[in-house]
Amino acid sequence: MTLLISVLPVSSAQTLVTAKLDSAILMMGRMTHLKISVDQKKDAKGSFPLFSQIKDNGIIGLCGDSVELRAPIKADTSEKSGMWHIEYTVPVQSFDSGYYQLPEIAFVVGKDTALSNKVALKVVPVIVDANTPIDDYANVADPENQSIFDALPDWIVDYWWLLIIILLAIAVFVYLWFKYRKDGSILGKKPEPTPYEVAIIGLRALKEKKLWEQGMEKEYYTELTDILRTYMYGRFGINAVEMTSRQILVALKNNKETNDKRDYIRRILNMADFVKFAKVRPLPDDNVASFDNALRFVEETKPLPPADNDSDTDMENKASKGKKREVPVITGKEVRNDA
């Protein structure tokens, strides 16, 4: 159906521009053609400024981009009554249903402008249900300026943040699982106590038991020497647990860090041997002295924190010569008071 809204085109300098549609009723998504005819003098040269606005995708938007003029635009020139008659054929398509009035199309010849008539177009929607076949339509066109996101499903694009949270949760779970399998705990293992800490804890516990105060001297010396043997093994690598008293003293003599401290251990071991093998019952002062000697040995052989610089270390070494380190944790006086 051909519809010509206005049969009175505007003329400028003997230039006549007329527009008409092959069909004034268009189904949404289908295509019709806009025919624009131009009659002008042979010596005149003109053009449509609208056609210079064509985009890279070959589309010119009209009526708020609801109606699209599409390339390619074909032109057919012939002679009519001593003038040039040019017939332009422009594809028209729309994807929005409704009534539209196409604007006047300007044709510029030099300084003169001729306008075409306005053309009306009705775009009807496509009614589709489950039983209506859809055919004679082109496939969906690829989007312009494609990116990697165009190849992803819509649910990934819409809920990407939720997917990241799930992946992070899985990664954390896997990490914690392997950490638990390796360490036996999610929080990690607590640092092992140092030999010094083990010895001090053991001495405190021994003092609180008050064994020799109850007449259990043998048990008292057995536990006291076991604490020292364990400390010497952990601190200096001396396997005192498997050594006799004589072997322990020889090992302490051969160690630079314990050479001048072995007298503490000698007194303790001598008293312990008397109690264990000779069944001697030491005096309370002997028991206190043995405890004090054990504590001094542990305190005076514990690792020192690293000094800030060499000069500080030298000053500390000079100050420590001839002066015994104080014993702040447990003292023999406390043992005597308890007794």
Side-chain angles (χ1 to χ4, degrees):
M1 175 179 179
T2 303
L3 178 63
L4 187 61
I5 296 301
S6 175
V7 294
L8 298 175
V10 180
S11 176
S12 177
Q14 297 184 2
T15 299
L16 183 65
V17 181
T18 305
K20 63 180 180 179
L21 287 167
D22 283 348
S23 176
I25 300 177
L26 179 65
M27 182 172 289
M28 185 173 62
R30 296 294 178 87
M31 190 175 293
T32 187
H33 292 89
L34 174 66
K35 300 292 183 66
I36 305 174
S37 61
V38 178
D39 293 294
Q40 64 176 24
K41 291 182 178 181
K42 289 185 177 181
D43 58 348
K45 294 183 179 180
S47 63
F48 289 98
L50 179 65
F51 294 165
S52 64
Q53 301 176 13
I54 191 167
K55 300 177 182 178
D56 294 337
N57 56 6
I59 297 176
I60 302 173
L62 299 178
C63 303
D65 290 338
S66 295
V67 178
E68 299 174 352
L69 303 184
R70 291 182 168 271
I73 299 173
K74 298 180 180 180
D76 185 17
T77 304
S78 61
E79 184 179 355
K80 183 179 180 181
S81 302
M83 300 181 68
W84 288 124
H85 177 78
I86 307 173
E87 189 80 21
Y88 293 90
T89 303
V90 185
V92 179
Q93 193 172 23
S94 177
F95 296 92
D96 296 326
S97 60
Y99 292 92
Y100 303 100
Q101 187 177 61
L102 274 61
E104 298 170 334
I105 300 176
F107 184 79
V108 178
V109 181
K111 296 182 179 180
D112 298 323
T113 300
L115 300 176
S116 72
N117 52 287
K118 296 181 179 180
V119 179
L121 176 66
K122 178 182 179 181
V123 181
V124 297
V126 179
I127 309 257
V128 179
D129 56 32
N131 298 321
T132 302
I134 300 178
D135 55 11
D136 197 25
Y137 277 88
N139 293 329
V140 177
D142 294 331
E144 300 178 13
N145 302 321
Q146 296 186 60
S147 67
I148 187 174
F149 298 103
D150 295 322
L152 298 176
D154 292 339
W155 65 270
I156 293 181
V157 178
D158 295 337
Y159 299 101
W160 60 268
W161 54 272
L162 182 59
L163 183 62
I164 291 178
I165 293 176
I166 294 175
L167 292 177
L168 287 176
I170 294 175
V172 171
F173 174 79
V174 172
Y175 169 77
L176 294 178
W177 170 254
F178 280 103
K179 183 176 179 61
Y180 178 80
R181 292 287 300 272
K182 180 180 179 181
D183 301 335
S185 173
I186 294 178
L187 300 178
K189 294 182 179 179
K190 294 183 179 180
E192 296 290 337
T194 63
Y196 168 77
E197 294 171 342
V198 173
I200 292 299
I201 293 173
L203 291 174
R204 287 176 178 172
L206 177 61
K207 177 179 176 294
E208 293 175 357
K209 291 180 181 180
K210 298 183 179 181
L211 295 178
W212 66 263
E213 292 91 337
Q214 304 175 41
M216 303 171 65
E217 287 85 356
K218 182 178 180 180
E219 290 79 1
Y220 172 77
Y221 280 95
T222 299
E223 189 165 341
L224 181 63
T225 54
D226 287 344
I227 293 172
L228 292 174
R229 291 173 187 269
T230 302
Y231 173 73
M232 285 184 281
Y233 178 74
R235 175 69 178 88
F236 307 107
I238 299 174
N239 191 15
V241 177
E242 304 295 335
M243 293 181 178
T244 63
S245 298
R246 181 179 179 81
Q247 291 172 331
I248 293 174
L249 294 174
V250 172
L252 293 175
K253 181 180 180 181
N254 295 331
N255 190 300
K256 294 181 180 180
E257 295 182 86
T258 61
N259 183 25
D260 58 341
K261 305 294 188 302
R262 69 182 187 280
D263 192 52
Y264 296 140
I265 301 300
R266 180 183 59 77
R267 296 173 188 174
I268 298 171
L269 294 178
N270 287 341
M271 184 58 66
D273 290 341
F274 282 132
V275 173
K276 293 179 183 179
F277 303 112
K279 297 182 179 181
V280 174
R281 297 199 63 179
L283 297 174
D285 288 345
D286 295 329
N287 299 326
V288 173
S290 296
F291 187 89
D292 286 348
N293 288 330
L295 187 59
R296 290 191 183 96
F297 178 79
V298 173
E299 287 291 345
E300 294 181 16
T301 58
K302 69 179 181 181
L304 296 177
D308 294 338
N309 49 56
D310 295 339
S311 60
D312 293 341
T313 304
D314 295 339
M315 293 177 62
E316 183 178 352
N317 292 337
K318 292 178 180 179
S320 62
K321 289 183 178 180
K323 181 180 178 181
K324 295 183 178 179
R325 189 180 292 106
E326 295 181 358
V327 183
V329 181
I330 310 173
T331 64
K333 184 177 180 181
E334 295 176 351
V335 179
R336 293 188 183 92
N337 291 338
D338 292 339

